[in-house]
Amino acid sequence: MTSPQVSRFGHVELEDFPEDLRVRVGAVSEKSGFVPNVFRALARRPAELRAFLDYHDALMDSDDGLSRAERELVVVATSGANHCTYCVVAHGAILRVRTKDAEIADLVASNPWGVELSTRERAIVDLALMIATDSASLTDAELDDARAAGLSDDEIWDVGAITALFAMSNRLAHLTALRPNPEFFLMGRLPRS
């Protein structure tokens, strides 16, 4: 039986990555137990994968400002609005793990405008959705609303930068017909064995 296609443009197995990327992605693989398909697909273009990882890590692995769970909240909400199955599934898994809430990712991805959230989370999601869906209409009023909910200017910047990075990522996932790894579907739903 053949495994499902990772990407409509093919993929690269970890052992065939350039050495620096094999080490970098290998660390992710060791922690998660598998190589996320996004890395296998983007490894066809190593310079782009390096750039993607650098910006991704600068935004998503920061301990300043937004919590790591709040960063994933932005990704899941905007990826849902952008209809990106790969990012909803993959980052939904990470959001479930980071929040220890088996339901939040599905609720945010399916209806980010209506899901019940804390005041701060609602401000984060609303700002991210505006940037994702109608950024040309963004005014100081939306930024003032975010500040009133307790977000700093650096956190507002993070919301915008994460939304922008994942707008690109969502579109690459659409272009490549990127398939989520099966492992993502159960992460954060069942206790780890």
Side-chain angles (χ1 to χ4, degrees), residues 34-74:
F34 62 96
V35 179
N37 285 342
V38 65
F39 303 141
R40 295 169 70 207
L42 292 179
R44 293 184 68 252
R45 299 177 67 127
E48 292 174 32
L49 177 55
R50 286 182 191 98
F52 176 82
L53 286 169
D54 286 345
Y55 198 40
H56 173 278
D57 293 354
L59 291 174
M60 301 304 290
D61 292 345
S62 176
D63 289 320
D64 296 330
L66 298 177
S67 72
R68 291 190 183 204
E70 289 169 336
R71 293 168 192 275
E72 295 297 338
L73 183 66
V74 171

Side-chain angles (χ1 to χ4, degrees), residues 10-11 19 32 79 94 99 102 104 109 122 126 129 132 147 192:
H11 68 277
E19 177 63 24
S32 66
S79 295
I94 299 167
T99 61
I104 190 166
R122 171 55 47 209
D126 287 350
L129 289 170
R147 288 181 189 111
R192 277 185 96 156

Side-chain angles (χ1 to χ4, degrees), residues 78 82 126-140 142-143 159-161 163-164 167 171:
T78 59
N82 288 327
D126 287 350
L127 180 60
L129 289 170
M130 173 140 202
I131 295 167
T133 63
D134 194 18
S135 62
S137 297
L138 183 69
T139 68
D140 287 343
E142 287 80 27
L143 301 183
V159 170
T163 299
R171 281 144 185 86

Side-chain angles (χ1 to χ4, degrees), residues 83-101:
H83 311 289
C84 180
T85 302
Y86 183 87
C87 291
V88 165
V89 172
H91 289 274
I94 299 167
L95 179 60
R96 288 190 300 272
V97 168
R98 295 231 161 113
T99 61
K100 297 178 180 26
D101 181 339

Side-chain angles (χ1 to χ4, degrees), residues 76-184:
V76 173
T78 59
S79 295
N82 288 327
H83 311 289
C84 180
T85 302
Y86 183 87
C87 291
V88 165
V89 172
H91 289 274
I94 299 167
L95 179 60
R96 288 190 300 272
V97 168
R98 295 231 161 113
T99 61
K100 297 178 180 26
D101 181 339
E103 298 177 8
I104 190 166
D106 296 329
L107 296 171
V108 169
S110 62
N111 186 1
W113 295 273
V115 64
E116 188 175 321
L117 299 168
S118 71
T119 300
R120 179 178 168 86
E121 291 168 334
R122 171 55 47 209
I124 289 168
V125 167
D126 287 350
L127 180 60
L129 289 170
M130 173 140 202
I131 295 167
T133 63
D134 194 18
S135 62
S137 297
L138 183 69
T139 68
D140 287 343
E142 287 80 27
L143 301 183
D144 290 341
D145 289 346
R147 288 181 189 111
L151 274 68
S152 69
D153 282 357
D154 281 342
E155 291 172 327
I156 290 169
W157 184 283
D158 286 343
V159 170
I162 293 165
T163 299
L165 174 65
F166 280 90
M168 180 200 73
S169 184
N170 296 162
R171 281 144 185 86
L172 280 172
H174 290 148
L175 171 70
T176 62
L178 190 57
R179 183 179 200 80
N181 301 69
E183 295 89 345
F184 282 128

